[in-house]
Amino acid sequence: MSTLTGDRQSPTRATIPSSRGSRTSEGLRSSGAAIARRLLGARGLQEIALLASLWIFYSLSRLVAADDLVAARGRAADVVHIERYVHLDIEAWLNNALTPVTQIAVPMSFWYATLHYVVTPAVLAFIYFRHRSEYTRVRNAIVIGSAIGLACYLAFPTAPPRLMPGTDYLDALAHTASFGWWGGDASAPAGLGHITNELAAMPSLHVGWTVWVAWAVWRHTNRAGKILASLYVVGTTFVVVATGNHWVLDAVAGAAVMVLGIVASGRMAASRRRPSAQTTP
């Protein structure tokens, strides 16, 4: 009897994984198709076009920024003077302690040259697909904050530590260029340094974008996610200073302009909600 029972059950057991695998495969295809429809819909294409236009404008505007290195170094000297007054001038010590250590300099360079290109759009896509009602405000926040930063680059070009004369700052990305895709011109790909504004130190949008990332995901993640978001801000601040690309006050200013963008986007969202609330009976 036990043998007959086993014979009867074996075909059933064989069909279960196949059925589940089929349902899983169909679910994945359905989910992928839904994402594709949302991305390629009118709204998705509009957002892609908008963000691409903003990126192109951002890149082109860096070409018309002033290239007066003497004036930019003068502003950087003023930044250093303020930092010394408030005891924040740790750039030289940090840069000289870490950049000569290849095992540290290479990961820092990868972080500086890569993460903001990956994490920032990934978070934007996450909000678009998973929390659509918040997307407009989140997008407006990074656009406004970045626009303020860009205006600062155009109006007040400031030299980074690595371009200061008579100092011993080391250019970590230049020292490690053979290990990655970047060259010696900030985080631009090798051979494209001519399109990079190397006097765009104040404020640090590298840091500003991490503040935006932490704010955007904060309500939608657990405690571990919040810790990772906070470490992303702290880690990027550490990296931009240690690599010789920004002053400490650049990082503070980068966070500040993004906070302004977040506040402004919140007020814009509130003003859009107010008329609809007034018309509700």
Side-chain angles (χ1 to χ4, degrees):
M1 178 66 69
S2 60
T3 304
L4 292 174
T5 303
D7 290 341
R8 288 171 182 169
Q9 288 179 346
S10 58
T12 303
R13 286 198 301 267
T15 59
I16 290 175
S18 175
S19 176
R20 288 178 179 174
S22 176
R23 287 197 298 269
T24 301
S25 177
E26 290 175 1
L28 289 175
R29 285 196 297 268
S30 176
S31 177
I35 291 174
R37 284 195 300 270
R38 182 173 292 185
L39 186 61
L40 297 177
R43 175 70 184 276
L45 292 176
Q46 180 182 2
E47 290 299 325
I48 292 173
L50 172 63
L51 294 173
S53 299
L54 290 171
W55 177 254
I56 292 171
F57 175 76
Y58 174 75
S59 300
L60 292 178
S61 63
R62 296 176 73 162
L63 295 176
V64 300
D67 58 356
D68 187 347
L69 185 56
V70 174
R73 284 172 170 168
R75 294 188 188 93
D78 292 337
V79 171
V80 174
H81 179 74
I82 296 172
E83 287 190 352
R84 286 175 180 167
Y85 183 77
V86 295
H87 305 292
L88 286 177
D89 54 325
I90 62 172
E91 296 90 354
W93 171 79
L94 202 60
N95 175 254
N96 282 273
L98 300 181
T99 297
V101 184
T102 302
Q103 293 84 349
I104 298 176
V106 171
M108 288 198 309
S109 297
F110 269 105
W111 186 307
Y112 185 85
T114 305
L115 285 192
H116 66 293
Y117 288 127
V118 176
V119 177
T120 308
V123 169
L124 199 61
F126 167 73
I127 298 298
Y128 181 79
F129 287 114
R130 300 295 299 275
H131 304 282
R132 178 69 72 89
S133 62
E134 299 180 24
Y135 175 78
T136 299
R137 185 191 173 187
V138 168
R139 180 249 286 149
N140 287 346
I142 194 172
V143 169
I144 295 170
S146 299
I148 296 172
L150 179 58
C152 292
Y153 295 157
L154 296 176
F156 310 106
T158 305
R162 60 188 175 79
L163 292 183
M164 293 300 285
T167 61
D168 56 354
Y169 290 108
L170 302 174
D171 186 342
L173 271 75
H175 277 67
T176 60
S178 61
F179 294 90
W181 56 268
W182 58 86
D185 307 295
S187 59
L192 297 179
H194 60 285
I195 67 171
T196 299
N197 177 11
E198 294 196 74
L199 304 181
M202 172 68 78
S204 170
L205 285 181
H206 271 75
V207 173
W209 288 332
T210 65
V211 170
W212 172 86
V213 165
W215 166 76
V217 304
W218 196 262
R219 296 184 299 280
H220 310 299
T221 188
N222 56 21
R223 183 178 180 182
K226 290 179 172 64
I227 292 174
L228 285 176
S230 300
L231 289 176
Y232 182 47
V233 176
V234 174
T236 299
T237 302
F238 175 85
V239 164
V240 301
V241 173
T243 55
N245 282 285
H246 288 282
W247 308 99
V248 172
L249 287 182
D250 294 345
V252 174
V257 299
M258 200 54 61
V259 168
L260 288 175
I262 292 169
V263 171
S265 69
R267 292 185 176 180
M268 291 169 62
S271 66
R272 284 195 299 270
R273 288 193 298 268
R274 197 173 299 121
S276 60
Q278 292 174 350
T279 57
T280 302

